[in-house]
Amino acid sequence: VFELIFKDDKLPSNKALETFAKENNLLASWMYKWNNRLVIYTSSLKVESLQQTLKRLNATGIKLYDNLFYDFNREKNCGDKPVDEWDNIILSANLVKNEKMQKEYLDYHKTQFEKWPEISKGFCNAEFQRLAIFKKDRQLMLIISIPKGKKLDDLNPKTTLNNPKVDEWNAIMKKYQEGIEGTKPDEVWVFFKPI
């Protein structure tokens, strides 16, 4: 996951991003934006291209999220074959500044499949194909893959249906998370919109 940060209201136009995508053999559907940030979710853009990317798009900063610390996979965790096509939903939040709490958060996720199997069961019920969390410093990038054409708002409630442990898990996780720069006071997870 690559995140490019721009001066306020200086995001490139969708047309410029589509041209950039074409020139770099990327799909425009791999790009998402929120406020002054652009995210590119791909395995085909090489780290060596970062400086060139910065210059071309006039970003003021760039982050590479290559620390995948949580990976729910439908085939492995549900025993189902994934669907042929899916949409990715990208969200971001920060971990709180307390390093001890950050470690607790990571430890919860490290042992979640064994100690909290109800969470995976909820993701299976909701038809999630993959749920991956990447981390860079305190910032998290969450990618939720769902069947193409379906809506997260329709699927997400299925994670907690007859499954109160998911509500318990979510309540515990809230104390470890806060909004990234630019969020409203009570806003934690922000949704990046496809370009």
Side-chain angles (χ1 to χ4, degrees):
V1 179
F2 295 88
E3 181 184 34
L4 283 72
I5 301 167
F6 297 85
K7 289 184 178 157
D8 292 337
D9 300 325
K10 298 291 184 204
L11 268 171
S13 69
N14 285 0
K15 187 166 175 46
L17 292 174
E18 286 166 9
T19 301
F20 170 79
K22 219 176 266 180
E23 292 170 357
N24 288 279
N25 295 318
L26 300 170
L27 294 175
S29 62
W30 296 347
M31 296 187 191
Y32 303 78
K33 58 187 178 180
W34 176 80
N35 281 8
N36 65 330
R37 296 166 187 250
L38 175 73
V39 164
I40 303 171
Y41 180 45
T42 177
S43 58
S44 63
L45 188 61
K46 302 294 177 236
V47 177
E48 301 82 53
S49 329
L50 290 180
Q51 291 308 317
Q52 179 186 354
T53 302
L54 270 170
K55 287 178 189 155
R56 283 288 316 281
L57 295 177
N58 294 318
T60 57
I62 191 164
K63 293 180 184 179
L64 169 63
Y65 295 80
D66 58 355
N67 176 8
L68 174 66
F69 73 89
Y70 180 82
D71 193 9
F72 164 86
N73 173 302
R74 183 160 198 89
E75 194 162 7
K76 179 182 171 199
N77 300 108
C78 306
D80 296 354
K81 281 194 76 75
V83 295
D84 291 335
E85 291 186 71
W86 60 65
D87 292 321
N88 293 311
I89 315 294
I90 298 186
L91 302 95
S92 188
N94 274 336
L95 290 175
V96 294
K97 288 183 180 164
N98 181 311
E99 286 186 22
K100 181 177 178 278
M101 290 179 74
Q102 290 175 26
K103 185 182 178 329
E104 286 173 18
Y105 181 86
L106 296 175
D107 289 344
Y108 264 111
H109 283 80
K110 207 177 285 178
T111 61
Q112 183 214 40
F113 294 114
E114 296 81 38
K115 293 184 177 178
W116 293 77
E118 300 87 354
I119 310 308
S120 283
K121 185 178 181 293
F123 295 159
C124 295
N125 292 343
E127 300 178 59
F128 291 178
Q129 304 300 300
R130 185 171 188 218
L131 192 146
I133 309 175
F134 293 87
K135 180 180 170 296
K136 172 72 174 168
D137 303 319
R138 294 193 306 128
Q139 192 172 344
L140 306 173
M141 282 288 173
L142 167 62
I143 291 94
I144 304 173
S145 304
I146 61 174
K148 191 160 194 65
K150 298 224 175 176
K151 293 187 176 359
L152 183 62
D153 287 346
D154 296 336
L155 298 178
N156 205 35
K158 295 178 182 180
T159 62
T160 58
L161 190 64
N162 303 317
N163 196 352
K165 284 295 247 185
V166 174
D167 287 325
E168 186 182 336
W169 170 269
N170 289 338
I172 293 168
M173 293 305 109
K174 277 184 182 163
K175 71 180 183 182
Y176 297 105
Q177 304 160 348
E178 61 187 23
I180 61 175
E181 187 180 326
T183 55
K184 298 176 185 111
D186 289 333
E187 192 175 23
V188 178
W189 287 98
V190 296
F191 283 79
F192 281 76
K193 302 279 187 231
I195 65 156

